[in-house]
């Protein structure tokens, strides 16, 4: 079986980008090991801190963030990093060509209950001479990503990534400590009858989203003429992985619980990398009104409504929002 480095080399990825991806994976293997140790390593539970968005930080959020940050800022090709768990961008090498954004441990409410979590990453090119601690250099739309992916820490550890040439799955072979190719050119089925959304927020959604879900719940008798199934893991990495494996639609729409926020999920750490993966696998990704990767970020911690997955179902949701 082919190792990750062999696949990247065969795809003609620049050696500098390969080293950046390699370093992200070194940190992710360490995170996977610590998650596997769980309570034995004393890393479960919360810290006394909150991140810039006012969310309680789990110990493993902070540990994972530091592992990624430390290795990436000392990588010669990394100009800087932006993380969901860092208030500000952090400078790397002033001559570095790449910027890395990441959610070190997404779905962290699942850590203490021993369910799947993941690391999400995105790589952009630094377009001008600004230093990596200047957030302006990061404010590019998702179409500029040169690589994106996630590592899912589940029963097996799976890296899913794209460099713009399709989506591959790599499984961590713990005998050799390497990610090996286990599925190439992943394609999301265009149609689905499985949706994922946090139904408890229903009363806070916009009328368009309420109407779409109402119509799903009407099943064969309703306007969508299908019997739907529902899933909610509360871990975006696990939801997107399910969609890449068997299709589906995942939504975290705008809601009025905190009107100043466009949605719960973050554009640069969650929306853009997942959108690149989904589009590269033949799916679609939208805010409900426009493609997520066309949204221009105003700040590194911007939020975005997310609707992604099987392309015909995403098109239906977009039609509800735009008709
Ligand atoms: P996090 O980055 O703080 O972990 O939040 C993101 C997660 C997603 O993985 C998941 O889709 C969503 O939050 C779950 O939210 P909820 O708790 O509202 O179900
Ligand atoms: Mg997180």
């Amino acid at each position: 079986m082919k190792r990750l480095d062999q696949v990247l080399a065969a795809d003609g990825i620049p050696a500098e980008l390969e080293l950046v991806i390699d370093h992200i994976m070194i940190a992710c293997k360490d995170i996977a090991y610590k998650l596997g140790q769980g309570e034995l390593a004393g890393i479960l539970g919360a810290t006394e801190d909150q991140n810039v968005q006012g969310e309680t930080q789990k110990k493993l959020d902070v540990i994972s963030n530091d592992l990624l940050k430390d290795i990436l800022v000392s990588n010669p090709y990394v100009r800087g990093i932006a993380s969901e768990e860092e208030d500000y961008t952090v400078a790397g090498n002033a001559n570095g060509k790449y910027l890395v954004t990441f959610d070190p441990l997404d779905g962290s409410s699942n850590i203490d209950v021993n369910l799947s979590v993941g690391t999400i990453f995105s790589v952009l090119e630094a377009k001008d001479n600004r230093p990596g601690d200047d957030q302006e250099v990061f404010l590019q739309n998702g179409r500029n990503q040169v690589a994106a992916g996630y590592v899912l820490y589940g029963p097996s550890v799976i890296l899913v990534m794209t460099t713009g040439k399709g989506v591959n799955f790599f499984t961590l072979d713990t005998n050799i400590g390497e990610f090996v190719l286990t599925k190439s050119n992943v394609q999301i089925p265009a149609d689905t009858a499985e949706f994922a959304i946090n139904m408890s927020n229903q009363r806070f959604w916009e009328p368009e989203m309420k109407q779409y879900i109402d119509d799903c719940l009407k099943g064969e008798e309703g306007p969508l003429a299908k019997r739907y199934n529902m899933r909610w893991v509360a871990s975006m990495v696990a939801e997107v992985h399910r969609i890449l494996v068997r299709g589906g639609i995942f939504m975290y729409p705008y809601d009025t619980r905190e009107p100043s926020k466009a949605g719960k999920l973050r554009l640069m750490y969650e929306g853009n990398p997942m959108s690149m993966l989904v589009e590269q696998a033949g799916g679609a990704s939208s805010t409900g009104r426009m493609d997520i990767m066309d949204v221009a970020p105003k700040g590194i911690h911007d939020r975005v409504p997310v609707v992604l997955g099987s392309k015909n179902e995403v098109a239906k949701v977009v039609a509800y929002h735009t008709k």
Side-chain angles (χ1 to χ4, degrees):
M1 272 193 281
K2 287 187 196 147
R3 293 189 319 261
L4 172 62
D5 59 323
Q6 294 170 320
V7 174
L8 292 176
D11 277 351
I13 301 310
E16 298 91 331
L17 179 55
E18 212 185 303
L19 189 70
V20 172
I21 292 167
D22 186 47
H23 279 183
I24 297 172
M25 288 316 120
I26 289 173
C28 288
K29 287 180 212 172
D30 210 344
I31 296 168
Y33 176 75
K34 290 188 164 59
L35 278 164
Q37 293 291 100
E39 201 84 83
L40 299 176
I43 39 131
L44 301 188
T47 65
E48 286 173 2
D49 300 331
Q50 291 191 334
N51 67 15
V52 67
Q53 294 144 84
E55 297 155 339
T56 305
Q57 289 179 307
K58 302 276 182 184
K59 285 184 201 159
L60 252 181
D61 277 338
V62 175
I63 294 168
S64 306
N65 182 62
D66 290 348
L67 284 169
L68 283 157
K69 178 174 71 173
D70 291 349
I71 194 163
L72 286 171
V73 295
S74 54
N75 180 305
Y77 305 114
V78 173
R79 178 87 59 92
I81 60 121
S83 163
E84 187 183 309
E85 302 300 342
E86 293 282 334
D87 297 2
Y88 306 105
T89 57
V90 182
N93 183 335
N95 299 315
K97 182 175 171 190
Y98 296 109
L99 304 165
V100 185
T101 75
F102 52 84
D103 180 351
L105 210 52
D106 181 67
S108 44
S109 70
N110 278 325
I111 299 171
D112 291 353
V113 288
N114 203 26
L115 293 177
S116 294
V117 288
T119 297
I120 312 173
F121 62 91
S122 158
V123 185
L124 293 159
E125 279 181 13
K127 295 279 181 210
D128 52 34
N129 292 325
R130 290 169 206 258
D133 54 2
D134 179 346
Q135 81 153 8
E136 290 292 324
V137 72
F138 285 82
L139 301 182
Q140 308 179 34
N141 75 22
R143 299 267 171 227
N144 288 359
Q145 293 171 104
V146 293
Y150 60 78
V151 174
L152 170 64
Y153 309 105
S156 53
V157 176
I158 300 179
L159 161 67
V160 175
M161 70 166 293
T162 182
T163 54
K165 296 180 176 160
V167 175
N168 293 324
F169 289 180
F170 300 86
T171 303
L172 180 62
D173 182 341
T174 48
N175 286 324
I176 58 171
E178 298 278 357
F179 283 100
V180 295
L181 182 67
T182 42
K183 195 168 182 190
S184 53
N185 193 24
V186 174
Q187 289 292 312
I188 300 173
D191 291 297
T192 185
E194 190 163 75
F195 68 83
I197 195 164
N198 185 341
M199 289 290 290
S200 67
N201 296 326
Q202 193 171 25
R203 69 189 189 282
F204 301 109
W205 300 335
E206 294 180 298
E208 294 85 351
M209 186 55 71
K210 276 187 192 150
Q211 188 63 54
Y212 167 70
I213 294 294
D214 280 352
D215 290 348
C216 289
L217 298 179
K218 288 180 189 143
E220 299 93 321
E221 313 301 323
L224 297 170
K226 263 196 262 188
R227 180 179 296 193
Y228 283 83
N229 184 35
M230 196 198 94
R231 286 286 183 274
W232 189 250
V233 190
S235 174
M236 189 190 196
V237 174
E239 319 272 9
V240 172
H241 196 67
R242 184 185 62 251
I243 289 170
L244 286 166
V245 171
R246 68 177 193 210
I249 185 166
F250 167 87
M251 291 155 285
Y252 214 115
Y254 170 79
D255 68 55
T256 55
R257 283 174 301 166
E258 290 185 70
S260 62
K261 295 176 179 169
K264 178 179 179 184
L265 301 178
R266 279 123 302 206
L267 176 62
M268 304 205 68
Y269 317 120
E270 290 154 336
N272 279 336
M274 292 311 203
S275 297
M276 184 175 183
L277 286 170
V278 165
E279 282 199 14
Q280 284 287 317
S285 164
S286 173
T287 64
R289 297 187 171 86
M290 68 184 288
D291 286 358
I292 288 177
M293 286 195 287
D294 291 327
V295 174
K298 295 190 185 67
I300 52 167
H301 296 301
D302 280 6
R303 310 222 179 208
V304 70
V306 173
V307 178
L308 59 77
S310 294
K311 77 170 182 228
N312 293 342
E313 201 62 31
V314 173
K316 284 178 199 166
V317 178
V318 171
Y320 276 77
H321 285 81
T322 53
K323 72 184 171 200

